[in-house]
Amino acid sequence: MIQWTKHNDALGTANRGVPCESGLCTLCRADCKGKCETWLSSLIGRKLLYPRDYSLTTAGSSNVTSVGIGYHALRIQGYAYGANGLPPGLSNDPDDCIFPNVNIETSFGGKIKTKCRIPIMTGALGSTFIAAHYWDSFAVGAALCGIPIVIGENVVGVDRESTLGSNGVTNAPELDRRINMFMRYYDGYGAIIVQMNVEDTRNGVAEYLIKKYGDEIILELKWGQGAKDIGGEIQVTSLDYAQFLKKRGYVVDPDPTDPTVQEAFKNRAITSFARHSRLGGTNLDTAAKVKDDFMTAVAHLHKIGYKRISLKTGAYGMEALAMSIRLAADAGLDLLTIDGAGGGTGMSPWNMMEHWGVPSLPLHAKASEYCKLLEDAGCKVPAISFAGGFAREDHLFKALALGAPYAKLVCMGRAPMIPGYLGSNIQGVFQPEKRAALHGHWEELPSSVTAVGTYPEEIFSGWEAVKKKVGADEMKNIPFGAVAMYGYADKLACGLQQFMAGARKFSLSEITRDDLMAANRETAQETGIAYMTDALDEKAKKIIKGKF
């Protein structure tokens, strides 16, 4: 098992325990006082691209060898000449070929193009309470950054205030709140994507959304995720709420209507209940039936008015991966998100997370191979988003290059949530009257924050940029978590621009798989990416022979 370092002395960052490959702690807490790389990026933004204590230090890389298969075992090519994909109006003059001129905007979709300022999207933020508590920060942050945000499964079903009639949803205040919070600051970039599972389909969520919001919504069908191979879960500590969820049709474990369980809960032998969603596709036993069922579902959504539809699939084996790509193409879907094992969660069985499914790199490498086969067969390949353990700018470049030219976005689950927690905790210190509503956990700023600053305009690198965007009067309504998310996204954007400039690629469409090298032979074999001393070796030998 690969062990990742807990501390980065060059950046001055640290994790509580051994981190995931993404660099996030295995267990990310909303009350965390710091300071992993994502946490600190939320405050100081692009400054964290560089080693700390400039003029007092020099720094050397600790990551010159890579063991095992994973995104960590891919390295990014740099080139000594050339400039590809310069935006209109720019020339190959060195004054134009600077990293701030790298265009990292992207888009996806068929008839309707969804534009994004940065090639990232959030993971699905659904019925977990942590998603609800910090939604304002997540949604406003996503809108300000110009990226898609996904409302995950079961939001309507777990909402006590929602109304389900014989014809489906008639009132969904929590779902409406989430959509409206994003749309308040939406400026044409990004999108709201709403995910559907078995219970959402039964409850008529799709019909409710199209009637109320029309083209504003992208609907996402859900096959699975990287964190688990069963339906979504939440944990509740109220017997009454557990019984409500069971009446809503959910699987609740243990059974809150069982008198024995009720007595155990009274005696505190049982203190919580797990609410589970159902498995999809249980009435389908062949790939052909999956195809028929899927195409029927998509046809229904088109019929009731949906013009943008996406699909989210998980870390299943190669058959399911191929089905998701082929059916997304056949159905003309706007986006396919492929989530590898190692992705994050709000609540999943832990050993299931550890031991099920195909890890992100081999899954994504096979997805790229299958997309190429599909294209060679004359089919239009859907836009792809890769998910499963991404948090840094090098992750963005590697995922986009591995999936080029089909990958248009990188889906990030846990990482963009960290700014939301952090900003809410800081805002609760400055505005204690709002602390409970913000779900802030701090009564005073910890030393990890005061080392950065002592007032909001000093603490958040993105403060003035957000104020310029929304106006000084509106700034009072912007959650601090959204400002933190803006700073984090700015660090990712700048870092990606720098990697791309070094690879001489000034627009995302110019990135190719050849811009990657494998750091070990095992990864080269698995991905089809050339080992680093094999990459460009034939050209090198010609040059040695004087053939330029």
Side-chain angles (χ1 to χ4, degrees):
M1 183 177 180
I2 299 170
Q3 294 292 312
W4 312 105
T5 180
K6 292 172 57 176
H7 303 278
N8 186 320
D9 192 33
L11 297 180
T13 59
N15 296 76
R16 286 193 317 277
V18 177
C20 306
E21 185 176 358
S22 65
L24 305 185
C25 294
T26 304
L27 191 71
C28 182
R29 295 182 58 93
D31 59 355
C32 178
K33 296 180 180 180
K35 52 183 184 178
C36 74
E37 184 172 341
T38 299
W39 188 98
L40 192 54
S41 298
S42 304
L43 302 182
I44 67 174
R46 62 178 60 194
K47 183 177 181 180
L48 200 61
L49 293 171
Y50 312 101
R52 63 192 174 108
D53 299 334
Y54 175 72
S55 81
L56 294 175
T57 63
T58 63
S61 173
S62 62
N63 186 35
V64 293
T65 60
S66 296
V67 177
I69 296 174
Y71 273 95
H72 69 281
L74 293 177
R75 296 188 69 83
I76 298 169
Q77 280 276 17
Y79 304 97
Y81 64 92
N84 304 286
L86 285 162
L90 299 183
S91 71
N92 59 358
D93 186 284
D95 288 337
D96 284 342
C97 297
I98 55 177
F99 77 82
N101 285 338
V102 173
N103 182 5
I104 58 170
E105 288 192 8
T106 189
S107 66
F108 65 90
K111 295 180 180 179
I112 299 177
K113 291 293 183 184
T114 301
K115 300 185 296 181
C116 311
R117 287 196 174 90
I118 311 171
I120 60 176
M121 60 185 288
T122 77
L125 303 166
S127 58
T128 58
F129 301 140
I130 204 163
H133 291 168
Y134 301 97
W135 178 262
D136 289 1
S137 290
F138 303 152
V140 175
L144 294 175
C145 294
I147 64 172
I149 186 169
V150 184
I151 299 175
E153 59 191 343
N154 295 312
V155 170
V156 172
V158 304
D159 181 8
R160 283 181 178 270
E161 303 303 317
S162 65
T163 305
L164 304 181
S166 57
N167 294 321
V169 183
T170 57
N171 182 43
E174 175 60 16
L175 183 60
D176 292 337
R177 178 183 80 87
R178 296 198 189 191
I179 293 170
N180 293 332
M181 183 56 66
F182 175 86
M183 296 307 298
R184 176 172 176 170
Y185 298 97
Y186 171 69
D187 65 355
Y189 286 83
I192 274 280
I193 302 174
V194 180
Q195 193 177 83
M196 299 279 293
N197 68 358
V198 173
E199 286 82 6
D200 294 318
T201 301
R202 289 180 176 180
N203 290 337
V205 173
E207 288 75 10
Y208 174 84
L209 287 169
I210 196 67
K211 183 178 180 180
K212 188 163 187 176
Y213 297 101
D215 291 345
E216 293 180 348
I217 302 297
I218 300 176
L219 199 73
E220 179 171 271
L221 300 173
K222 184 180 182 184
W223 277 10
Q225 60 279 302
K228 53 186 175 287
D229 59 351
I230 58 174
E233 309 93 356
I234 63 171
Q235 187 177 117
V236 301
T237 56
S238 161
L239 176 64
D240 179 65
Y241 190 33
Q243 291 172 339
F244 164 79
L245 293 172
K246 185 174 177 65
K247 290 178 182 177
R248 274 276 165 99
Y250 287 107
V251 176
V252 182
D253 179 46
D255 184 353
T257 63
D258 184 335
T260 302
V261 171
Q262 293 173 0
E263 189 66 20
F265 183 82
K266 178 181 177 181
N267 293 325
R268 298 199 55 78
I270 293 173
T271 58
S272 64
F273 301 86
R275 183 235 67 197
H276 290 264
S277 299
R278 287 167 176 76
L279 297 171
T282 55
N283 58 336
L284 309 170
D285 55 8
T286 66
K289 289 183 180 179
V290 172
K291 176 184 178 181
D292 292 343
D293 182 79
F294 184 80
M295 298 303 285
T296 298
V298 172
H300 168 71
L301 294 174
H302 282 314
K303 182 179 180 180
I304 64 175
Y306 281 97
K307 296 179 180 179
R308 294 184 292 174
I309 304 171
S310 67
L311 172 65
K312 166 79 174 292
T313 190
Y316 303 117
M318 297 306 105
E319 181 191 27
L321 175 63
M323 284 196 297
S324 68
I325 295 170
R326 179 69 201 219
L327 294 180
D330 289 349
L333 297 193
D334 293 82
L335 184 67
L336 169 62
T337 300
I338 302 171
D339 189 10
T345 183
M347 179 183 171
S348 294
W350 175 246
N351 285 321
M352 183 179 289
M353 284 195 70
E354 290 280 86
H355 297 286
W356 102 276
V358 183
S360 294
L361 183 70
L363 185 72
H364 297 161
K366 291 300 287 187
S368 177
E369 178 187 338
Y370 294 162
C371 286
K372 181 65 165 61
L373 290 173
L374 191 63
E375 184 178 51
D376 290 345
C379 297
K380 184 178 180 180
V381 179
I384 302 294
S385 176
F386 283 154
F390 299 122
R392 301 192 308 261
E393 60 276 3
D394 58 294
H395 296 152
L396 302 186
F397 188 101
K398 291 175 181 179
L400 293 168
L402 182 69
Y406 318 108
K408 306 300 183 185
L409 293 166
V410 176
C411 179
M412 306 174 76
R414 293 196 300 151
M417 300 175 76
I418 291 173
Y421 311 150
L422 176 55
S424 297
N425 289 332
I426 293 172
Q427 187 172 358
V429 173
F430 287 101
Q431 301 171 5
E433 73 282 1
K434 295 182 179 180
R435 187 179 300 145
L438 291 165
H439 298 277
H441 293 277
W442 303 344
E443 294 183 358
E444 60 182 13
L445 297 179
S447 59
S448 53
V449 174
T450 57
V452 175
T454 57
Y455 51 92
E457 294 88 345
E458 182 183 26
I459 291 170
F460 296 105
S461 65
W463 188 275
E464 295 302 326
V466 171
K467 185 170 74 173
K468 180 181 179 181
K469 188 176 182 67
V470 303
D473 291 340
E474 184 62 23
M475 197 65 188
K476 65 180 181 294
N477 297 317
I478 301 298
F480 285 18
V483 180
M485 188 170 172
Y486 191 92
Y488 171 55
D490 181 63
K491 180 256 191 181
L492 293 176
C494 181
L496 178 59
Q497 286 177 312
Q498 292 177 347
F499 273 120
M500 290 177 63
R504 311 298 177 114
K505 304 297 175 67
F506 285 82
S507 62
L508 289 173
S509 60
E510 295 292 325
I511 296 176
T512 72
R513 287 167 57 86
D514 290 338
D515 293 321
L516 296 176
M517 306 173 286
N520 58 53
R521 302 283 183 184
E522 189 179 14
T523 299
Q525 181 178 353
E526 186 64 40
T527 62
I529 299 294
Y531 179 65
M532 48 193 170
T533 56
D534 292 336
L536 303 177
D537 187 50
E538 290 302 316
K539 287 185 177 181
K541 288 174 179 175
K542 288 181 180 179
I543 289 173
I544 290 297
K545 294 176 181 179
K547 298 178 180 179
F548 286 84

